[in-house]
Amino acid sequence: MATVSNYFTGIAVKRLSAVETDPNTSNQHEFNGVVQMAAIFGRDRTSMPCRYLYLGNYEEETAVADGFLTWYDARERHPSRTEYRMYFQSNCVTELSSEGDILIIGRRPEGNALVIVIRQDSTFERQVLWLFGITNENNTFSVVPLEGDRNKEIGYVERTILESIGVEIQVHETDLLPEIIERFGQSFPSTRRFSAFARELTGREVSPVEEPDNAILTWIDFEEKLFKTLERHIVQGRVTQGFDNVDDFIAFSLSVHNRRKSRVGLALEHHLEELFRANEITFSRGQVTENKARPDFIFPNIDCYHNPVFPAERLTMLGAKSTCKDRWRQVLSEARLIDAKHLFTLETGISQNQTDEMRSNNLQLILPEKLRSTYLPIQQSWLMNLSEFIHLVSERQP
């Protein structure tokens, strides 16, 4: 199985200082390196293509720029001293950078570089620090060895974070392509059918009753691989066929992008639905509560919800979002009879500011147990896993 070291040959991290971010303080356009970074970039002057990426609090607060990064020794003529630096040209990413932001510079196997600037105390910061196993960072570069626990195997969680920083992970089940084509032909099936197909192929590998947290991640991960396999086959055929004009190409590209985004959320709901059935939990999915709101799940069912004599304390509402970002607030206005809301997500390392706000709004976050470690220790005791949630709604069943 692929690991993080398949995509990076070296990582260096630091927090940005004022002299590196404030144009009123300095216009040097340089990061001060350390000698240990020579293990990543070598000891000789080198200029490499570089992708610059800025990640803020939300998806909308992102920026991307392409350019170059030059690694050199400012005292290369000195017989005994070294002073390594990294020169960059100003761009939209460096202009957004602030003192205290995390700076991660990664060397890719192809020889180019990836410079990531992440807003301090953001969810993206928690996710990327967890991915690379970074526990200490200050205003001086530290080299992060990608070995042992830091060299994580690439599963669904790791792949999602890597793709958020622009690293495309090729995951295909090419051996299963003939079976996929035999079942669905040369077109995309409905998400419900494809989700059921993924569960069918995993078979006895997971138990939705004994290990619901493991089951949901296994199903989601495997379906993603199956989908990418079919998508690659269909898209390659369309690319080979060619396009009549630029507008046709853009329309096709947008359809691919939109299908990817909408499919994951629906797949998550389908798999949760199957988990609840396997655990003999009654529920209603996508039914109207008030003001045309349609919560993802109501327990024990929508009839109990609208029954004025049914105890409100035995009602439960669950929202399902593969990623939260700032969209978690949407569930607060759904199912007004239920004061305490529940939200299931696959989002890793949500910032403490966000989870504190969730708690203040009486929203309980639920996620697969494997994802708990991506959160800060102070957050972990509050989080609920899927097995605990199933136990909760089971006790509230009529």
Side-chain angles (χ1 to χ4, degrees):
M1 177 178 286
T3 63
V4 172
S5 63
N6 290 112
Y7 299 93
F8 291 93
T9 59
I11 293 289
V13 59
K14 66 171 293 181
R15 287 203 181 272
L16 289 170
S17 61
V19 73
E20 295 167 313
T21 60
D22 187 354
N24 296 318
T25 304
S26 172
N27 291 310
Q28 65 180 13
H29 293 174
E30 288 183 330
F31 303 126
N32 294 321
V34 293
V35 68
Q36 291 84 356
M37 293 171 68
I40 303 175
F41 299 102
R43 296 189 176 276
D44 298 326
R45 175 185 291 260
T46 180
S47 183
M48 66 206 83
C50 182
R51 166 66 56 90
Y52 294 83
L53 176 65
Y54 178 83
L55 299 174
N57 281 318
Y58 310 112
E59 289 180 349
E60 295 79 11
E61 299 176 351
T62 61
V64 180
D66 289 314
F68 286 86
L69 188 66
T70 300
W71 166 258
Y72 72 102
D73 182 1
R75 296 184 179 273
E76 58 187 345
R77 297 184 183 277
H78 196 281
S80 59
R81 293 184 61 186
T82 59
E83 189 176 315
Y84 285 109
R85 296 178 183 176
M86 306 200 84
Y87 173 79
F88 59 89
Q89 291 183 318
S90 181
N91 56 60
C92 60
V93 172
T94 60
E95 290 170 359
L96 287 169
S97 305
S98 299
E99 181 181 2
D101 288 349
I102 282 286
L103 169 67
I104 295 177
I105 300 181
R107 191 80 186 267
R108 302 297 304 280
E110 315 87 75
N112 57 341
L114 176 63
V115 170
I116 313 167
V117 179
I118 312 174
R119 178 173 293 182
Q120 187 174 17
D121 296 327
S122 66
T123 292
F124 281 123
E125 180 187 82
R126 286 293 318 140
Q127 292 173 341
V128 177
L129 292 181
W130 174 84
L131 175 69
F132 294 121
I134 299 169
T135 55
N136 295 303
E137 66 285 338
N138 52 45
N139 289 343
T140 302
F141 271 115
S142 297
V143 172
V144 181
L146 296 177
E147 55 189 29
D149 292 340
R150 286 191 174 97
N151 192 22
K152 293 180 174 66
E153 291 186 351
I154 308 300
Y156 177 82
V157 176
E158 293 79 8
R159 185 168 67 248
T160 301
I161 300 174
L162 283 167
E163 290 180 349
S164 75
I165 61 174
V167 179
E168 185 70 21
I169 308 299
Q170 300 297 330
V171 287
H172 308 119
E173 294 288 339
T174 52
D175 292 343
L176 291 174
L177 180 60
E179 187 172 352
I180 298 172
I181 298 300
E182 181 180 356
R183 178 74 66 95
F184 303 114
Q186 300 288 336
S187 60
F188 292 104
S190 68
T191 309
R192 180 176 290 279
R193 289 182 64 202
F194 211 69
S195 296
F197 180 59
R199 294 193 299 269
E200 175 188 329
L201 291 184
T202 54
R204 298 179 181 178
E205 292 181 20
V206 294
S207 170
V209 176
E210 295 178 2
E211 296 181 303
D213 291 88
N214 181 46
I216 193 73
L217 278 181
T218 300
W219 290 343
I220 285 286
D221 185 42
F222 193 63
E223 180 175 351
E224 180 82 358
K225 294 176 182 178
L226 293 175
F227 175 79
K228 290 289 183 67
T229 302
L230 178 59
E231 180 188 60
R232 186 179 182 86
H233 173 74
I234 292 176
V235 170
Q236 183 60 59
R238 183 67 183 86
V239 170
T240 301
Q241 178 183 339
F243 300 91
D244 293 333
N245 50 58
V246 173
D247 289 339
D248 284 349
F249 169 75
I250 292 174
F252 178 74
S253 178
L254 286 174
S255 70
V256 171
H257 179 70
N258 291 334
R259 184 183 296 109
R260 285 186 175 186
K261 290 181 63 176
S262 63
R263 185 194 60 81
V264 177
L266 285 172
L268 178 59
E269 292 181 33
H270 294 326
H271 292 313
L272 285 171
E273 193 174 40
E274 182 62 25
L275 275 174
F276 297 143
R277 288 200 180 98
N279 284 275
E280 299 181 345
I281 303 294
T282 60
F283 63 90
S284 294
R285 177 180 170 187
Q287 297 298 308
V288 177
T289 52
E290 304 91 7
N291 298 326
K292 298 183 180 179
R294 293 179 179 271
D296 294 321
F297 295 95
I298 290 288
F299 307 87
N301 56 52
I302 196 65
D303 292 333
C304 291
Y305 183 87
H306 289 300
N307 185 348
V309 300
F310 189 84
E313 62 270 16
R314 292 176 61 185
L315 295 170
T316 310
M317 187 222 76
L318 178 69
K321 295 186 183 298
S322 57
T323 58
C324 285
K325 307 306 179 190
D326 58 335
R327 297 180 297 119
W328 61 267
R329 296 180 181 84
Q330 295 170 0
V331 306
L332 299 178
S333 61
E334 300 173 346
R336 292 180 179 175
L337 293 179
I338 303 173
D339 292 330
K341 306 293 198 296
H342 290 79
L343 175 63
F344 182 86
T345 187
L346 300 173
E347 183 93 54
T348 54
I350 296 174
S351 69
Q352 186 178 346
N353 290 338
Q354 289 281 306
T355 57
D356 284 348
E357 190 175 351
M358 292 177 189
R359 296 180 73 171
S360 68
N361 282 279
N362 211 10
L363 175 68
Q364 174 65 59
L365 195 64
I366 304 162
L367 42 77
E369 180 59 32
K370 182 181 177 181
L371 274 57
R372 191 187 295 263
S373 65
T374 69
Y375 288 74
L376 294 171
I378 196 172
Q379 299 169 290
Q380 292 180 18
S381 60
W382 165 72
L383 296 169
M384 180 182 285
N385 64 31
L386 189 54
S387 180
E388 292 167 336
F389 177 77
I390 289 173
H391 179 72
L392 171 69
V393 292
S394 179
E395 287 190 326
R396 294 179 177 181
Q397 295 282 290

